[in-house]
Amino acid sequence: MRLSAALRHACRTSRSGAGQVRVLSPRGSSTAREERSAGWAPVRGTHYTSGSSGGSSAHSLSLQSRSPRLRAEHQHAAREIIEKSREELASVLKAHPAIKPTLAIIQAGEDDILLEMNTMMAEKVGLNVMQICLPRHCTEEEVIEEVLRLNEDQNVHGVFLCLPPSILSRRILNTIKPEKDVDGVSDLNVGRLVSGALSEGFPSPVAGAVLELLSRQDASLAGKRAVLVGLEGPLKVILQYLLQDAGMEVQTSRWAADNLQKQVKQVDVVVVMGTENTDLLPISVKPGVTVINCGSALMPEISAAEERAREAECWTEIGPISAALRMQNVVRSSVRWVENQQYQTWTLRPLKLQPLSPVPSDIEISRAQTPKPIVQLAEEIGLLPEELEAYGRTKAKVRLSLLTRLQNQPNGKYVLVAGITPTPLGEGKSTVTIGLVQALSAHLKLNSFACLRQPSQGPTFGVKGGAAGGGYAQVIPMEEFNLHLTGDIHAITAANNLVAAAVDARILHEATQSDKALYNRLVPSVNGVRRFSPIQLGRLQRLGINKSDPGTLTPEEVRSFVRLDLDPAKVTWQRVVDTNDRFLRKITVGQANTEKGHSRQTQFDIAVASEIMAILALTDGLADMKSRLGRMVVGSSRSGQPVTADDLGVTGALAVLMKDAIKPTLMQTLEGTPVFVHAGPFANIAHGNSSVLADQLALKLVGEDGFVVTEAGFGADIGMEKFFNIKCRASGLKPDVVVLVATIRALKMHGGGPSVTAGAPLPKEYIDENLQLVSEGCSNLKKQIEIARLFGVPVVVALNVFKTDTEAEVDLVCRIAEASGASAAVPCHHWTRGGRGSVELARAVKETAAQENDFHFLYSLQTPIVEKIRTIAQKVYGADDIELSPEAQAKIEYYNQQGFDTLPVCMAKTHLSLSHMPDKKGVPTGFILPIRDVRASIGAGFIYPLVGTMSTMPGLPTRPCFYDIDLDPNTEEITGLF
């Protein structure tokens, strides 16, 4: 029996590994259905009865067709199963029309008998069938290769192995994902059956068909006897268990057993496997014995005796019912798959902390805790295995497909951690962020996620050290967090410097070649054919040249196409490196003889200052990122027109370099709660926030009642303002509460205390109680609360308590904060106690986030650039007005002409003061804010005015952090990170 011509025409054929793949859709097999409309397909399976009513003899056995009543009952049973499965699948497809549930059949050779039966059943249910025909003498590895591919195919919800027993090894059976093992033969599914947990697995359709046939007999199965002949492996175990569970006495036998005839004479049911002896002659059986051949439902080969019997008679047996049950399992697999795509309740298992006093170093604390395997954490928070890309044992990338899967899931609460104007030592925003999520998840049992920026190597080896938090509120392993992580900054460095190389190469080639030579190299002839690349066609369209044939361009069009005419003096794109290196602040490139005198002055920035980093932090997906990369302006032509990465032809290559960096990295806190680490733009020249994508993913994962806590860089006047006006515009997300971090030492500094220097001992004013300095310094805290309230968002003040702080100082700050408009002010002890030390903060955040707020932007995008700058200067910084330099005024006019005036503004100013003067603490007043220059990050999507002199390349101090960092060559343990 072969596939009909119409059915073969419905197949789509391709090659995958060693197997030929054919996919049959339900609608494609209508002709086959019409050809077989008389009834179910005849399949191999027999019912043997005695030829006489009185006794039996060795030669009295005859093959008889079932009675019309029994045949009709079996057809009805299969139809019932199919109809129920069809209705169940229709319900699934109605709710999720994009899925295409498919049964994949892997077989050796191209025999289509079994395929036709399963295809007919699948068509009645509404399933697709994929046939994979391997060579008849295929190897175990060839089968496993196909199974592994099908495991990863989300449209395949069932895998059926139609292979000879000589190939069907346990290794192959256990390679199938349990959720796709619709024949129920893997060790896990067999174990589930025997242990009574079958709701998580699948029953064997062959065993199920046997039970279905037997259950439709008039008499009860209890007390009857059965023998299983020739059955081996999981099917033998399953049938033996199911028949015994039904109350039957079960024996097993091999075909060659000496006592086979004796066993057969004594039983009521004979279940056989194998084709060489399935006619059972000359074995005698009792009158009315039921004989079932399981091989008819598993293998396409037919013995000569059976083939002759089929020519004479037609019967219905195990084949149709087992095929119907197999389709039922495929449908149930697709239902479970759909259920797994929905939001999953967290099963988070927090890690226990045992804080020590005095508190050890950060790296000692980190190393003392054993993190959970990242795959375990991912499972606990509802991530699917296919959404995770592990980078070792403790960190992993999360694929953006999660956003599509959970697109209808309501977001959780959105919490921003900002700070007062900091000291050079930092005030602990990261530790507050981590302590807060540890308290929410591990202690209040509320789903929560921390979203942090990836630290730059520059500060890690320079002055500040790492940024994983500190004490008992940190991300672990902290050395992995602070060093290479998953390579995102390296990818940004590579992409940024590729653009820089493309800029200088293009300037050189245009200066040293004719139009014709440039054109011939930019659009070369390959095998006698010249074609524009897609990005070149895009450039032609932007130039208004609507041609696609390279041979049809006029000389004027060729010149316009090949000449970017970049002005070397107006190149704005810099090279980057992720190291503090002051001697790269100004360099000269092109001094080698090979550059033919085309030298120019340029500079290096630190990698996190690259516009590509800002793009990574603001993008919402690959398509958006690629578009933003293409819009990046690298300089101006001599005629004053902006030149972009698209014009250079480098956009596609940049997207390739960034394709993995766009995925957030999953890590965990000391208490085993989840953290996303992603992006790390500078907060003084860029917007200084972790990525939009990390926040979006986390908000879906925590659920409607959960919390996502994300951190903004530097003080609220910089990081928070940019979070609201830039990041929230890009993401469309609405914040629920601001946590404003303050420290006694920073408030004392703003109250007139002496300056502090990293690495130097603190003056006594910061160690001894001084309520006057604290009270006067609270002016900065009041101002930062006021800034948050400008945007209509409620504020909770988190006072990061140090051991030198007194109770009177702490109480004073909390009273002033609440009197100044904060919804709550809470002292926090997370550094010494972990999440338990921030429980009161967590409760205050939960209560405040439940309140309605009136979040709004500070300005409209339609507001002129100058007025946007003035609004921020006056309302946020407290300036009387702004003063534009002639260069800044000229730049603004240029951006207006180019249509960039509707972009938000990202102010680049010092983080050490509300003003542009780092030494002016507290709340400076009566000053004019000078705008030295105005630049544009068109790809990132903002204009950034420069307030005073801003360095984009930090320098190393006299004694950098790297003096203390070392590696033990024997244990490979890192020391000196903090």
Side-chain angles (χ1 to χ4, degrees):
M1 187 187 306
R2 310 299 292 177
L3 274 177
S4 67
L7 192 57
R8 288 188 178 279
H9 183 70
C11 298
R12 302 195 305 274
T13 303
S14 63
R15 296 293 298 178
S16 174
Q20 180 174 341
V21 181
R22 299 189 292 176
V23 181
L24 294 86
S25 66
R27 291 183 297 274
S29 55
S30 59
T31 303
R33 182 182 69 248
E34 293 167 1
E35 290 178 353
R36 307 185 62 79
S37 60
W40 298 98
V43 294
R44 296 170 306 287
T46 57
H47 176 78
Y48 292 93
T49 59
S50 172
S52 66
S53 59
S56 60
S57 67
H59 300 286
S60 64
L61 185 68
S62 65
L63 180 65
Q64 298 182 355
S65 65
R66 283 192 179 274
S67 69
R69 180 183 64 81
L70 289 177
R71 185 164 62 247
E73 283 185 5
H74 295 163
Q75 290 175 352
H76 180 67
R79 286 194 180 99
E80 281 183 345
I81 297 168
I82 289 297
E83 180 62 23
K84 182 179 179 181
S85 299
R86 187 186 66 79
E87 292 175 356
E88 192 172 6
L89 181 62
S91 176
V92 172
L93 293 175
K94 183 178 180 181
H96 305 275
I99 71 169
K100 300 176 182 178
T102 299
L103 170 66
I105 300 175
I106 300 179
Q107 64 186 69
E110 298 188 16
D111 194 310
D112 292 323
I113 297 172
L114 199 66
L115 173 69
E116 184 172 7
M117 177 178 63
N118 281 277
T119 300
M120 181 182 62
M121 294 292 186
E123 190 273 337
K124 291 178 180 292
V125 173
L127 297 168
N128 294 327
V129 174
M130 177 189 295
Q131 180 192 31
I132 300 173
C133 297
L134 297 173
R136 186 166 295 276
H137 301 291
C138 59
T139 65
E140 183 181 78
E141 293 303 325
E142 288 175 319
V143 177
I144 288 176
E145 180 183 350
E146 293 297 335
V147 170
L148 290 174
R149 182 181 59 80
L150 295 173
N151 282 345
E152 300 307 313
D153 189 337
Q154 292 193 7
N155 286 321
V156 172
H157 295 109
V159 178
F160 173 33
L161 301 179
C162 179
L163 299 169
S166 59
I167 299 177
L168 211 54
S169 66
R170 302 303 306 152
R171 182 183 173 210
I172 289 176
L173 294 178
N174 289 318
T175 300
I176 305 174
K177 280 187 175 181
E179 60 266 29
K180 298 189 179 187
D181 174 28
V182 291
D183 263 45
V185 291
S186 68
D187 288 349
L188 181 57
N189 275 332
V190 173
R192 283 169 171 168
L193 171 69
V194 175
S195 66
L198 195 56
S199 60
E200 301 175 12
F202 293 106
S204 163
V206 176
V210 172
L211 266 293
E212 181 70 27
L213 287 175
L214 295 177
S215 67
R216 289 182 176 263
Q217 295 183 352
D218 295 334
S220 168
L221 296 180
K224 290 191 175 183
R225 292 176 292 178
V227 63
L228 310 182
V229 184
L231 274 76
E232 299 294 339
L235 185 57
K236 173 184 173 181
V237 175
I238 294 169
L239 265 175
Q240 188 169 4
Y241 171 79
L242 291 176
L243 293 176
Q244 288 175 339
D245 191 56
M248 298 185 72
E249 180 185 326
V250 182
Q251 305 174 35
T252 64
S253 179
R254 298 188 305 274
W255 282 108
D258 294 335
N259 63 341
L260 175 60
Q261 291 191 28
K262 181 180 178 180
Q263 285 180 296
V264 169
K265 289 179 181 179
Q266 296 174 348
V267 300
D268 306 288
V269 176
V270 180
V271 181
V272 302
M273 172 70 79
T275 58
E276 67 275 21
N277 289 307
T278 51
D279 54 7
L280 289 184
L281 295 174
I283 298 174
S284 300
V285 295
K286 294 191 307 183
V289 68
T290 299
V291 182
I292 301 174
N293 178 12
C294 293
S296 66
L298 293 173
M299 292 297 298
E301 291 86 354
I302 303 174
S303 68
E306 285 184 282
E307 190 66 68
R308 288 193 297 272
R310 291 185 56 190
E311 292 173 359
E313 308 216 26
C314 177
W315 63 92
T316 58
E317 284 286 356
I318 190 174
I321 296 179
S322 66
L325 289 171
R326 184 173 295 112
M327 302 310 147
Q328 183 181 74
N329 285 349
V330 177
V331 171
R332 289 177 178 173
S333 175
S334 66
V335 170
R336 291 176 188 174
W337 183 86
V338 167
E339 290 173 348
N340 286 337
Q341 301 304 300
Q342 308 307 307
Y343 178 78
Q344 301 294 315
T345 302
W346 283 24
T347 56
L348 188 70
R349 181 184 64 83
L351 300 177
K352 293 189 180 301
L353 277 184
Q354 294 180 331
L356 301 176
S357 181
V359 177
S361 70
D362 291 350
I363 197 166
E364 287 176 315
I365 293 172
S366 173
R367 195 165 289 146
Q369 182 68 288
T370 301
K372 291 181 282 191
I374 201 66
V375 293
Q376 177 187 328
L377 176 62
E379 183 180 0
E380 290 177 352
I381 62 175
L383 283 164
L384 303 181
E386 58 267 24
E387 292 167 342
L388 208 67
E389 296 177 0
Y391 281 64
R393 184 180 179 274
T394 56
K395 56 185 183 290
K397 288 284 193 181
V398 174
R399 295 179 180 173
L400 304 187
S401 58
L402 172 68
L403 283 176
T404 302
R405 177 169 71 87
L406 298 182
Q407 58 185 330
N408 297 321
Q409 170 67 22
N411 288 340
K413 298 294 185 181
Y414 198 27
V415 180
L416 174 70
V417 174
I420 64 171
T421 304
T423 69
L425 305 179
E427 309 318 312
K429 290 192 305 298
S430 296
T431 58
V432 168
T433 299
I434 297 162
L436 174 56
V437 296
Q438 288 180 170
L440 286 165
S441 286
H443 300 276
L444 297 188
K445 308 304 179 184
L446 297 167
N447 297 348
S448 70
F449 236 108
C451 291
L452 301 176
R453 291 181 294 168
Q454 179 183 351
S456 166
Q457 178 181 296
T460 298
F461 290 98
V463 177
K464 186 179 178 182
Y472 288 100
Q474 57 175 304
V475 180
I476 57 172
M478 67 91 75
E479 56 265 51
E480 293 185 25
F481 179 96
N482 283 310
L483 298 176
H484 303 285
L485 200 60
T486 48
D488 293 355
I489 293 180
H490 301 316
I492 289 165
T493 301
N496 185 99
N497 292 343
L498 178 60
V499 176
V503 167
D504 285 315
R506 188 59 176 262
I507 292 173
L508 172 68
H509 293 314
E510 287 190 23
T512 56
Q513 297 181 52
S514 65
D515 293 348
K516 182 177 180 181
L518 273 172
Y519 191 61
N520 288 338
R521 286 174 171 81
L522 289 172
V523 194
S525 176
V526 179
N527 297 325
V529 179
R530 299 177 70 179
R531 291 190 180 92
F532 291 118
S533 67
I535 200 166
Q536 288 176 327
L537 289 171
R539 172 163 169 77
L540 287 170
Q541 291 174 0
R542 289 193 298 275
L543 293 170
I545 303 172
N546 297 316
K547 295 179 180 179
S548 58
D549 182 355
T552 61
L553 266 65
T554 66
E556 292 75 16
E557 290 171 337
V558 166
R559 179 173 180 79
S560 180
F561 173 74
V562 301
R563 298 282 174 191
L564 300 182
D565 201 25
L566 262 166
D567 186 343
K570 294 181 180 178
V571 171
T572 57
W573 195 264
Q574 319 294 355
R575 288 166 173 81
V576 299
V577 63
D578 197 35
T579 303
N580 290 358
D581 191 345
R582 68 178 69 248
F583 285 91
L584 294 178
R585 290 171 178 170
K586 190 170 289 293
I587 62 171
T588 302
V589 297
Q591 294 196 47
N593 293 334
T594 52
E595 274 49 80
K596 304 175 183 178
H598 291 279
S599 63
R600 67 180 182 90
Q601 279 198 340
T602 182
Q603 68 184 56
F604 269 81
D605 296 334
I606 196 163
V608 290
S610 170
E611 182 177 353
I612 297 178
M613 175 61 88
I615 287 174
L616 178 66
L618 290 171
T619 190
D620 63 6
L622 273 171
D624 177 66
M625 181 179 72
K626 186 177 177 182
S627 176
R628 288 174 179 267
L629 291 171
R631 294 198 300 268
M632 293 187 307
V633 174
V634 300
S636 299
S637 68
R638 287 183 172 85
S639 62
Q641 294 303 307
V643 177
T644 67
D646 268 348
D647 293 325
L648 285 170
V650 74
T651 305
L654 299 181
V656 169
L657 287 171
M658 294 293 293
K659 72 178 181 66
D660 292 319
I662 197 173
K663 305 164 191 170
T665 299
L666 177 67
M667 295 188 75
Q668 63 192 284
T669 69
L670 277 167
E671 297 191 54
T673 66
V675 178
F676 272 140
V677 186
H678 201 214
F682 258 27
N684 51 1
I685 60 170
H687 66 290
N689 284 264
S690 62
S691 76
V692 165
L693 281 169
D695 291 359
Q696 290 176 331
L697 290 169
L699 284 164
K700 295 298 182 185
L701 283 169
V702 297
E704 191 171 6
D705 297 324
F707 290 80
V708 171
V709 184
T710 189
E711 177 193 350
F714 293 139
D717 55 307
I718 296 182
M720 184 184 69
E721 181 270 316
K722 295 173 181 178
F723 173 85
F724 290 148
N725 281 323
I726 298 176
K727 184 177 178 180
C728 288
R729 286 186 200 269
S731 67
L733 298 174
K734 176 184 175 181
D736 293 287
V737 60
V738 168
V739 174
L740 190 64
V741 179
T743 60
I744 299 292
R745 69 185 184 189
L747 294 174
K748 288 180 176 179
M749 181 189 68
H750 288 296
S755 61
V756 296
T757 304
L762 285 173
K764 64 181 182 62
E765 288 85 351
Y766 298 102
I767 299 173
D768 300 335
E769 182 177 288
N770 192 320
L771 296 179
Q772 182 178 353
L773 282 181
V774 172
S775 177
E776 292 178 1
C778 279
S779 61
N780 188 271
L781 175 61
K782 294 177 184 178
K783 177 62 176 177
Q784 302 289 15
I785 294 172
E786 177 189 321
I787 294 170
R789 303 290 291 175
L790 276 175
F791 294 89
V793 182
V795 179
V796 172
V797 171
L799 184 60
N800 188 13
V801 177
F802 288 74
K803 63 181 180 180
T804 56
D805 300 340
T806 68
E807 185 176 347
E809 289 173 331
V810 170
D811 290 343
L812 176 62
V813 172
C814 291
R815 288 199 309 272
I816 292 174
E818 292 180 355
S820 301
S823 298
V826 183
C828 303
H829 303 273
H830 45 273
W831 190 78
T832 56
R833 298 169 57 194
R836 191 173 301 280
S838 286
V839 169
E840 291 307 311
L841 173 64
R843 291 196 176 106
V845 167
K846 178 186 176 185
E847 182 178 343
T848 304
Q851 303 171 6
E852 290 292 327
N853 68 51
D854 181 33
F855 172 68
H856 53 269
F857 301 120
L858 194 60
Y859 53 79
S860 165
L861 291 180
Q862 306 307 316
T863 302
I865 293 175
V866 172
E867 290 308 311
K868 291 173 186 171
I869 298 172
R870 180 174 285 113
T871 297
I872 295 172
Q874 293 178 334
K875 293 189 176 181
V876 177
Y877 307 151
D880 288 345
D881 203 350
I882 62 173
E883 182 180 40
L884 296 174
S885 70
E887 183 180 5
Q889 185 64 57
K891 288 284 190 67
I892 290 173
E893 292 174 1
Y894 173 74
Y895 295 145
N896 289 337
Q897 294 170 5
Q898 296 299 325
F900 301 153
D901 55 315
T902 58
L903 294 175
V905 165
C906 183
M907 301 288 282
K909 81 169 187 71
T910 180
H911 61 288
L912 297 175
S913 172
L914 283 165
S915 72
H916 60 288
M917 300 166 283
D919 59 330
K920 298 296 183 182
K921 307 302 181 183
V923 183
T925 57
F927 63 94
I928 304 295
L929 192 73
I931 308 300
R932 178 174 61 85
D933 194 6
V934 179
R935 298 176 185 172
S937 291
I938 304 305
F942 52 71
I943 302 292
Y944 65 100
L946 299 181
V947 181
T949 301
M950 297 299 302
S951 175
T952 55
M953 172 54 77
L956 289 173
T958 304
R959 191 185 188 282
C961 296
F962 61 64
Y963 273 82
D964 302 308
I965 298 172
D966 203 357
L967 178 72
D968 187 317
N970 296 317
T971 64
E972 297 187 9
E973 283 193 349
I974 297 171
T975 58
L977 282 175
F978 62 92

